[in-house]
Amino acid sequence: MTTTVPAAHEAAVPAPAAADRRRWIALAVLLTASFMDLVDATIVNIAIPSIQRDTGAGFSAVQWVTAGYALAFALGLITGGRLGDIYGRKRLFLLGMGGFTLASALCGVATDPGMLVGARVLQGAMAALMVPQVLAIIHVSFPAGERGKVFGMFGAVIGLGAVCGPLIGALLTEGDLLGLEWRPIFLINLPVGIAGILLGRRFLTESRATRALRVDLIGTALATVGLLMLLYPLTQGRESGWPLWGFVSMAASPLVLAVFVRYERIKARKDGSPLVELSLFSVRTFAAGAGVQLTFGVVSGLFFLIWTLHMQLGLGWGPLHAGLTGVPFSLACSTAAGMSVQKLVPRFGRAVLQAGALIMLCGALLYLWEAGHYGTALQSWQMAPAMLLMGAGMGLIVAPITDAAISDVPAEHSGSASGIFNTTGQLGMALGLGLSSVAFFGVVGGTGQPGGAGPAAAAPAPAFVDATTHSLWWISGGLVLIFGLLFLMPRRAPAADTPERTAHDGAQAEQQPVLVS
């Protein structure tokens, strides 16, 4: 989950006392929407084996169920925020929530992998309309003195969602409600979404930016085409026998993205409303932070997918067993995230993030050793120390990285920087999920072809263990790269009262679930 922060020049208008109750009900609606989005992201991985068994989905379909959502979400985030600034945040929030609810229903009634992937892409696009409005509405609804309390509640919801998402998914999947197997993980959004729409229509207050940037549809189209030319053949190539067209497409992708960069420069000179403010990358700390965020997204996207498949297909655990095994990770991540922002980073600065990368690396290497040593006999309690290390290390990085990256960005560009930064993380996750075709599924072997029974029925469990250890080497390499990139970040976080820190308190809170999903 990510968002853009409203423009710094737009002042919050305190609501009169008579409207105080309405503000807090509206906040409950906004927090519920964020919780729903976060849970939906974390709930899916745990149900993937069940989806495969029921639909006969191949490896590539598994990747697109998650990567399609992440890619659509990432590409639509900045545009969604700008549409809210132009046409009204309440209107776009309700439109996004309605579309998200409809897409959830389509996911729940999907009859084949293709329909499910299409519905997930729609779900991600609708989340990109809904999510950016949340903090923007909070910004204009609550005065500065109350935002600390509000963001504290927001952080609590994020932590709760990170812990509850996998467990809710496990309970719904293993419970097999009404014989629907995995489908309730999506259908549960229907009553929540309908209630949110009805309450939002009544209690949310409409707002617009006083001077909104224009929507860059051409830039969005170029970025979409360029990234799909890379991700589609990367994801589909293995099952198609790595055809020539795939390599041609991946080789041409940088050319299309170069055209995108050229167009963005022209767009910036023409009307000052490019999709991506390229001048931000001339700020060394922001460029390095974006590199960290992209790599961290790749590591996270790959890790969460292979972790789920290892537990359920490699070790034969049920969804609830796998979900409970993930609780130490979630708790460690949430605890470390709170400590890093409140106590550690203000005192030790960049070293906290680097320590997080090293702790994660130790966890990944321990997990790698355990998976290879114990094989299919690995137990939850044996995995717990590695998960605690991975979770704690992730928490030390994911919470403070936004502030560290934008510390040298001019205040007038803080909103654009936050939107680009969060989008980069989502793109990294989509890329990591695409790379699983090589790092993970390529090792499992040529099973799970479209139309077959899928890997759950076709590949032996040891193959998934071997694929997990192979992928963990990729993850470890990514963490080493993150550790090196962090040397380019500022040694100390910005002071608590700087414009950059103030403008991005909300973005930092929203940033956590991106990498816990």
Side-chain angles (χ1 to χ4, degrees):
M1 188 192 328
T2 52
T3 189
T4 54
V5 175
H9 66 267
E10 185 174 354
V13 179
D20 190 66
R21 184 174 66 90
R22 294 178 60 88
R23 285 189 305 149
W24 292 103
I25 295 176
L27 176 64
V29 173
L30 297 171
L31 294 182
T32 300
S34 297
F35 182 82
M36 182 171 68
D37 170 59
L38 174 59
V39 167
D40 191 79
T42 58
I43 210 173
V44 172
N45 278 351
I46 207 74
I48 282 177
S50 178
I51 293 172
Q52 289 181 303
R53 288 191 296 269
D54 185 44
T55 65
F59 286 153
S60 63
V62 168
Q63 292 167 271
W64 281 117
V65 167
T66 48
Y69 181 96
L71 186 61
F73 190 22
L75 292 171
L77 269 175
I78 298 176
T79 298
R82 290 185 184 176
L83 287 172
D85 290 343
I86 296 170
Y87 297 108
R89 284 106 181 214
K90 174 182 176 179
R91 177 181 299 179
L92 265 293
F93 176 83
L94 294 176
L95 177 63
M97 177 167 274
F100 190 88
T101 304
L102 174 62
S104 298
L106 293 175
C107 289
V109 299
T111 56
D112 56 63
M115 181 178 176
L116 178 59
V117 170
R120 282 286 287 170
V121 171
L122 177 62
Q123 206 178 26
M126 292 299 102
L129 294 181
M130 175 179 69
V131 172
Q133 318 311 326
V134 172
L135 291 181
I137 294 174
I138 289 176
H139 181 87
V140 299
S141 299
F142 291 87
E146 292 183 347
R147 286 185 208 143
K149 177 181 179 181
V150 171
F151 288 141
M153 297 171 64
F154 197 91
V157 169
I158 288 171
L160 183 64
V163 175
C164 291
L167 290 180
I168 293 174
L171 289 170
L172 291 175
T173 302
E174 193 156 294
D176 193 17
L177 301 178
L178 302 176
L180 295 175
E181 300 187 32
W182 54 271
R183 300 177 189 276
I185 70 170
F186 297 112
L187 297 177
I188 195 175
N189 288 334
L190 271 62
V192 178
I194 292 171
I197 293 170
L198 295 176
L199 292 173
R201 283 175 57 87
R202 179 175 179 183
F203 292 104
L204 290 178
T205 300
E206 188 59 280
S207 65
R208 293 176 175 83
T210 55
R211 184 179 61 83
L213 295 175
R214 298 180 182 180
V215 176
D216 183 5
L217 294 179
I218 295 178
T220 302
L222 286 171
T224 301
V225 171
L227 289 168
L228 281 177
M229 289 175 67
L230 173 65
L231 287 174
Y232 184 80
L234 184 63
T235 303
Q236 296 288 141
R238 193 200 62 81
E239 290 191 358
S240 301
W242 295 111
L244 178 62
W245 64 261
F247 292 100
V248 172
S249 177
M250 287 188 284
S253 173
L255 300 178
V256 176
L257 294 176
V259 173
F260 165 74
V261 171
R262 176 63 177 167
Y263 176 79
E264 291 300 283
R265 288 174 176 165
I266 295 173
K267 179 76 170 171
R269 292 194 299 267
K270 182 179 179 181
D271 59 17
S273 296
L275 180 69
V276 175
E277 182 58 60
L278 296 175
S279 64
L280 290 170
F281 290 93
S282 65
V283 180
R284 191 191 74 168
T285 53
F286 180 81
V292 171
Q293 182 78 334
L294 181 68
T295 310
F296 204 75
V298 171
V299 167
S300 300
L302 179 58
F303 171 71
F304 288 116
L305 178 62
I306 67 108
W307 184 26
T308 294
L309 296 179
H310 176 227
M311 287 189 291
Q312 295 193 56
L313 301 183
L315 302 178
W317 298 350
L320 185 58
H321 187 173
L324 291 172
T325 302
V327 170
F329 178 97
S330 297
L331 293 176
C333 186
S334 298
T335 302
M339 292 180 60
S340 67
V341 172
Q342 298 173 16
K343 298 181 179 180
L344 299 178
V345 170
R347 183 175 180 182
F348 301 106
R350 182 183 70 193
V352 175
L353 284 78
Q354 292 177 308
L358 291 178
I359 291 172
M360 275 197 77
L361 177 60
C362 290
L365 292 175
L366 178 58
Y367 184 16
L368 191 157
W369 177 82
E370 289 178 331
H373 180 73
Y374 294 107
T376 56
L378 182 63
Q379 301 295 316
S380 292
W381 66 268
Q382 294 167 328
M383 189 185 292
M387 293 303 102
L388 286 171
L389 289 172
M390 291 284 287
M394 182 171 284
L396 291 178
I397 297 175
V398 72
I401 184 62
T402 301
D403 272 352
I406 57 85
S407 60
D408 293 334
V409 171
E412 63 268 22
H413 292 308
S414 60
S416 295
S418 177
I420 295 168
F421 196 76
N422 294 331
T423 297
T424 300
Q426 284 290 334
L427 290 176
M429 291 194 72
L431 181 59
L433 291 163
L435 284 174
S436 65
S437 179
V438 178
F440 185 85
F441 295 119
V443 177
V444 171
T447 57
Q449 297 296 331
F464 287 95
V465 176
D466 292 340
T468 299
T469 57
H470 185 260
S471 299
L472 284 168
W473 282 115
W474 286 61
I475 291 168
S476 299
L479 291 169
V480 171
L481 178 58
I482 290 170
F483 178 79
L485 287 172
L486 284 169
F487 279 103
L488 300 177
M489 304 294 290
R491 288 183 176 272
R492 295 287 176 181
D497 58 349
T498 61
E500 292 86 353
R501 173 66 63 109
T502 302
H504 287 273
D505 278 344
Q508 176 179 303
E510 187 84 357
Q511 183 68 22
Q512 288 189 10
V514 174
L515 302 177
V516 178
S517 58

